[in-house]
Amino acid sequence: MDGSKNSSAERIPVLVVGVGHLGKEHARVYSELESTQLVAVVDSSLERAREIGEPLSVPAHDSLTSELLNSIKAASVVTPTPSHLEVASQLIKAGVSVLVEKPMTANVEEAEDLIRLAKAHEVTLQVGHVERFNPVVLAAYPHIQNPVFIECDRIHPFSFRSVDVSVVMDLMIHDIDLVLNLVNSPVAGLEAFGTRVLSETEDLATARIAFENGCVAMVKASRVAIQKSRKMRLFCEDAYISLDYIAKTGMRIGLKEGFDRRSIDFEKMAGLEEKQGVFPIFTQYFNIQQLSISSEEPLRSELSSFIDCVQKRTPPVVTGQHGLQAIEIALRITAEIRRSQENYLARRAHYRPDERPDTEFLKNQ
Ligand SMILES: NC(=O)c1ccc[n+]([C@@H]2O[C@H](COP(=O)([O-])OP(=O)(O)OC[C@H]3O[C@@H](n4cnc5c(N)ncnc54)[C@H](O)[C@@H]3O)[C@@H](O)[C@H]2O)c1
């Protein structure tokens, strides 16, 4: 998958635009892959471009020149989201295939423009939803059939970056993309709640997404937590799957073959549970399987898959359409959060102290 047998003559010339926190990792990976030749790094801060370019022995630029555009076949766009359309358009118009970081653009209209442009210029447009390449997710995929209920948690301390977009567009969008891809059914409706804490937009958000096929997803994101947690739990028709992206672990629990719910002697089992604990009893009815997780770096898999698609002219794993769908749902969630905030404020305005719950009884506790 990483094209490691390519000779240097077959290497695809690439560059990275925006070498901040994440872009420097794109530049590093391109300089390591056998399928690519990192030609240059570009950043509106020339100082930053030099800081990243020098150790990788590539020239640093503060803008895209026509000479640079003519020298490359593919590029990563890792600038702040509001500039994605402008930067990616410049590359696409020069016939360069692009991997645009998530969220693909700031809104649906811009995303549609980018998809149209990539199609007109017949270049690859991939979106940086890197969790699709997370080995924990990849290990779970073969086990996920007909999810009925999905829970996602993505909790981070405040990073002071990406505050130009809400936590929904910043973090939750990873899970929105995964859930849309796993459920593969139109969204029937959604509810969402959230609030801002430190930035000008939402820092905390929770959403309940209902799908036409009956599946429901509860998605939670925070960028103002004390600790990190990134988990997904899936209840499928035949199994429960629990994934922890930080611990890099995954577990599938499925009912044993021939299991008959009516055969459980609940009274006897409750007695055993007190003596032995839940786990040994659990294994009588369930197969518990730890998923085997590869150690491959997600970004490396993502970028080598992108280059592979550019070389073979095959559709990327995460297309512009996927990027657009994720933005569409993220913006619906954001609008719903703001609507529920307005409802809350309106109710507060009419809230009378005598409507408070009676807490007298607590005094006697
Ligand atoms: N896939 C992921 O998991 C993930 C993680 C973090 C960030 N991101 C995305 O990557 C993008 C960048 O995020 P970051 O955290 O690296 O931001 P950052 O602020 O650390 O870096 C952005 C860099 O782009 C440069 N820049 C700004 N405008 C530019 C322009 N027009 N042309 C060239 N350079 C420009 C800045 O000088 C800066 O060095 C965002 O869209 C963000 O949502 C994705």
Side-chain angles (χ1 to χ4, degrees):
M1 198 167 163
D2 73 357
S4 55
K5 297 211 170 52
N6 280 11
S7 75
S8 62
E10 293 168 320
R11 287 181 177 199
I12 297 272
V14 296
L15 60 71
V16 179
V17 189
V19 280
H21 172 72
L22 183 62
K24 75 170 189 302
E25 303 303 331
H26 280 244
R28 172 188 55 82
V29 172
Y30 283 135
S31 74
E32 289 169 2
L33 287 177
E34 295 282 334
S35 57
T36 53
Q37 185 196 353
L38 182 67
V39 168
V41 291
V42 180
D43 197 292
S44 51
S45 156
L46 190 55
E47 196 189 343
R48 176 68 183 174
R50 284 188 177 132
E51 190 191 324
I52 302 305
E54 262 170 33
L56 299 173
S57 308
V58 293
H61 296 261
D62 61 3
S63 61
L64 283 165
T65 60
S66 49
E67 199 186 329
L68 267 181
L69 288 168
N70 288 333
S71 69
I72 53 166
K73 280 212 166 107
S76 281
V77 177
V78 202
T79 57
T81 304
S83 61
H84 284 182
L85 176 64
E86 192 193 328
V87 175
S89 298
Q90 211 185 335
L91 290 155
I92 292 172
K93 283 178 187 164
V96 175
S97 289
V98 287
L99 183 139
V100 181
E101 260 309 329
K102 55 62 31 189
M104 178 165 77
T105 53
N107 57 50
V108 168
E109 294 72 29
E110 288 185 1
E112 286 170 344
D113 283 352
L114 213 50
I115 292 170
R116 261 196 301 273
L117 203 61
K119 198 170 172 203
H121 288 268
E122 296 180 357
V123 298
T124 304
L125 165 60
Q126 181 167 328
V127 184
H129 285 290
V130 70
E131 293 292 38
R132 296 269 205 110
F133 297 88
N134 189 323
V136 179
V137 174
L138 293 176
Y141 256 91
H143 301 283
I144 302 172
Q145 272 161 21
N146 303 328
V148 179
F149 181 67
I150 306 177
E151 272 185 312
C152 308
D153 288 350
R154 194 169 288 264
I155 313 291
H156 270 250
F158 202 62
S159 72
F160 299 91
R161 282 190 311 273
S162 299
V163 287
D164 47 344
V165 292
S166 80
V167 72
V168 180
M169 288 286 263
D170 179 18
L171 297 183
M172 189 186 276
I173 199 157
H174 284 292
D175 293 312
I176 294 172
D177 171 67
L178 281 179
V179 163
L180 291 178
N181 186 252
L182 287 166
V183 180
N184 197 19
S185 166
V187 171
L190 55 85
E191 281 179 77
F193 304 90
T195 187
R196 67 183 203 198
V197 179
L198 292 175
S199 71
E200 288 301 313
T201 57
E202 292 76 17
D203 295 313
L204 280 172
T206 176
R208 178 185 173 280
I209 309 171
F211 291 89
E212 282 183 10
N213 70 0
C215 179
V216 170
M218 300 289 295
V219 192
K220 192 162 80 187
S222 165
R223 58 183 175 195
V224 284
I226 305 292
Q227 287 178 335
K228 270 189 192 177
S229 170
R230 277 188 271 148
K231 291 182 178 172
M232 185 185 273
R233 291 174 283 272
L234 301 110
F235 299 79
C236 302
E237 279 176 10
D238 64 340
Y240 163 71
I241 293 155
S242 169
L243 309 176
D244 185 330
Y245 307 136
I246 293 178
K248 296 189 171 55
T249 56
M251 185 172 65
R252 177 191 184 275
I253 303 181
L255 284 171
K256 281 197 167 158
E257 226 177 284
F259 168 79
D260 181 356
R261 217 174 293 275
R262 289 162 302 185
S263 69
I264 304 178
D265 181 342
F266 284 95
E267 211 171 307
K268 184 176 148 216
M269 289 301 164
L272 274 180
E273 183 261 319
E274 276 181 8
K275 288 193 201 115
Q276 302 179 6
V278 158
F279 199 74
I281 298 182
F282 229 54
T283 53
Q284 290 190 30
Y285 301 113
F286 299 104
N287 283 319
I288 301 177
Q289 180 189 355
Q290 296 298 335
L291 303 182
S292 160
I293 315 281
S294 109
S295 57
E296 190 73 21
E297 179 189 4
L299 184 62
R300 190 182 163 91
S301 305
E302 178 185 52
L303 298 188
S304 63
S305 170
F306 165 57
I307 295 302
D308 202 42
C309 294
V310 173
Q311 281 173 320
K312 295 181 180 150
R313 302 186 66 82
T314 51
V317 173
V318 187
T319 62
Q321 201 57 36
H322 292 135
L324 166 68
Q325 283 162 5
I327 292 170
E328 219 165 23
I329 297 303
L331 291 177
R332 271 177 69 182
I333 289 173
T334 311
E336 189 57 20
I337 289 173
R338 291 177 189 171
R339 198 186 62 78
S340 54
Q341 273 278 337
E342 276 170 25
N343 277 351
Y344 167 76
L345 293 173
R347 285 174 77 95
R348 276 279 295 242
H350 296 102
Y351 181 74
R352 294 201 319 272
D354 61 357
E355 286 176 351
R356 276 200 199 117
D358 180 6
T359 53
E360 269 305 300
F361 71 97
L362 287 173
K363 290 183 182 153
N364 303 325
Q365 300 287 308

